[in-house]
Amino acid sequence: MKIRRRDLLKGIAASGLLVAAEQSPAQAKRARKDLPPNAVGILYDSTLCIGCKVCEYACKQANNMPVEHTSSKEVMWDDPQDLSAKTLNIIKRYGVEGPKDTVEGFAFIKRHCMHCLDPACVSACPASALVKNPENGVVTYNKKACIGCRYCQVACPYNIPKFEWDSPFPEIVKCQLCAHLLVKGGISACCAACPTGASLFGPVEKLRSEAKRRMAMEPGEYYDFPVANIDGTEVQQHRAGAYVQHIYGERELGGSQVLYLAGVPFASLGLPELPEDSYVALADGIQYAIYKGMVYPLVVLGGLIYIIRNREEKKE
Ligand code: SF4
Ligand code: SF4
Ligand code: SF4
């Protein structure tokens, strides 16, 4: 079933929420969500990434994802241009501006699900096909529950969930932090394969501390950097980069379990500038104000998140 923006808005208007959404959500918002007790995630450090794409390969292998051909050169084994129904994880290379609008160099960024603390996809899904694990916080997908409405796609502020348009039984596709490996005591395949430690798995609290340690390093000096798993034993020595003093994902939209460090502004790497309040918290607040604690129609929440997301992004 294809959802059009107009249909979403109609549903919302019928319930009176559109009027409420134009009022003051900032006053109505509910509290931020805390980290789950055993939250795990990924710290991606763009300054350590060499663009080898081994993490892309490992992701495909671990998740049985098909190769993707986007160019006419059949010799390419796999050449995704972006996240898609066949690609859960992608490394992109961005030009970095030099003086007077020149391109001075480049930097890499890795994109996949952020495993948000307050995930809009979970709140927007009327069938509970997307759930956030209360223990480790991983956002997973249950294809048996999915009704194909694609509200999650509309709601996600990072444009992550993809839909299998060319399948007779289409599913939503997104990174699930290799949940099938975590239950066996393993770690995310992309982190296990990364040769430099640019993708590092571990408890989110420890990853946050590690990110702060790196931001305090003297650029150009050598330091130890953990590889694969912050709780593991492997370390490598690297020169510290000149880090931007911001951990992307620590506070954006209420925070996420995937965190980023970089040596250039995140906006120049395609990561959106976002407010600290999650769109879900704002939408929940509005609905609570209208329905006064009664059960509210979940089916309109996806559209309400969409409206708030659009309006907040225009403010930025
Ligand atoms: S990034 Fe998007 S798909 Fe992933 S948890 Fe957040 S809202 Fe859901
Ligand atoms: S955590 Fe797993 S599914 Fe997600 S990007 Fe890494 S390898 Fe792919
Ligand atoms: S495996 Fe590591 S170094 Fe190679 S592209 Fe992926 S994140 Fe970068």
Side-chain angles (χ1 to χ4, degrees):
M1 178 171 59
K2 195 169 176 181
I3 296 178
R4 290 173 305 174
R5 179 176 181 273
R6 192 178 54 208
D7 297 335
L8 280 172
L9 297 184
K10 259 197 286 185
I12 295 160
S15 66
L17 290 174
L18 187 55
V19 176
E22 291 307 320
Q23 292 168 359
S24 180
Q27 288 164 3
K29 75 188 177 198
R30 63 150 163 72
R32 290 167 68 95
K33 293 263 175 96
D34 292 330
L35 271 179
N38 299 308
V40 290
I42 293 174
L43 171 62
Y44 170 80
D45 185 336
S46 172
T47 72
L48 293 180
C49 182
I50 56 173
C52 66
K53 294 181 179 265
V54 166
C55 55
E56 284 185 13
Y57 167 76
C59 180
K60 293 235 161 171
Q61 291 283 309
N63 293 282
N64 288 323
M65 298 301 287
V67 298
E68 191 166 3
H69 291 131
T70 57
S71 79
S72 57
K73 292 180 186 155
E74 292 297 323
V75 288
M76 298 286 281
W77 173 74
D78 185 43
D79 62 347
Q81 300 300 307
D82 210 336
L83 296 180
S84 73
K86 294 176 178 167
T87 298
L88 307 174
N89 165 37
I90 192 158
I91 295 288
K92 295 182 172 182
R93 183 172 57 178
Y94 282 82
V96 177
E97 276 186 24
K100 294 188 187 150
D101 296 332
T102 57
V103 175
E104 185 166 77
F106 58 84
F108 296 105
I109 196 77
K110 177 171 179 260
R111 298 303 306 272
H112 48 66
C113 176
M114 300 287 285
H115 297 277
C116 305
L117 297 191
D118 201 355
C121 60
V122 170
S123 294
C125 177
S128 298
L130 285 153
V131 293
K132 186 166 179 68
N133 185 300
E135 280 297 312
N136 65 14
V138 174
V139 177
T140 55
Y141 169 71
N142 176 1
K143 66 181 176 190
K144 289 187 183 148
C146 180
I147 56 172
C149 67
R150 298 175 47 239
Y151 276 34
C152 55
Q153 279 198 293
V154 175
C156 173
Y158 297 102
N159 196 21
I160 298 297
K162 303 299 174 198
F163 191 66
E164 293 177 320
W165 288 106
D166 53 0
S167 165
F169 304 104
E171 294 173 17
I172 287 292
V173 177
K174 74 165 203 73
C175 154
Q176 301 185 69
L177 213 77
C178 289
H180 62 299
L181 301 178
L182 303 191
V183 293
K184 295 183 206 156
I187 66 169
S188 303
C190 54
C191 297
C194 178
T196 67
S199 281
L200 182 66
F201 178 86
V204 177
E205 291 283 21
K206 287 187 182 175
L207 296 178
R208 285 178 178 174
S209 300
E210 172 67 9
K212 285 174 189 153
R213 180 183 80 96
R214 293 184 191 186
M215 289 194 303
M217 290 172 176
E218 193 62 42
E221 295 296 317
Y222 279 97
Y223 294 90
D224 284 346
F225 289 80
V227 174
N229 184 352
I230 199 166
D231 282 336
T233 52
E234 191 183 354
V235 291
Q236 289 179 10
Q237 279 216 326
H238 297 290
R239 284 185 194 274
Y243 289 102
V244 170
Q245 295 295 301
H246 176 185
I247 308 169
Y248 189 95
E250 186 180 33
R251 301 199 67 79
E252 279 75 10
L253 294 180
S256 58
Q257 293 176 215
V258 171
L259 306 170
Y260 288 95
L261 286 177
V264 296
F266 294 104
S268 65
L269 297 174
L271 287 170
E273 288 180 32
L274 295 167
E276 291 194 0
D277 290 322
S278 93
Y279 300 150
V280 184
L282 298 175
D284 268 359
I286 290 167
Q287 291 197 100
Y288 189 86
I290 294 170
Y291 289 93
K292 309 289 183 218
M294 292 186 298
V295 176
Y296 51 72
L298 257 182
V299 75
V300 300
L301 182 56
L304 187 52
I305 293 170
Y306 178 82
I307 291 174
I308 291 170
R309 172 186 159 186
N310 267 1
R311 193 187 44 203
E312 296 295 310
E313 284 174 3
K314 275 183 196 145
K315 276 193 215 160
E316 291 295 309

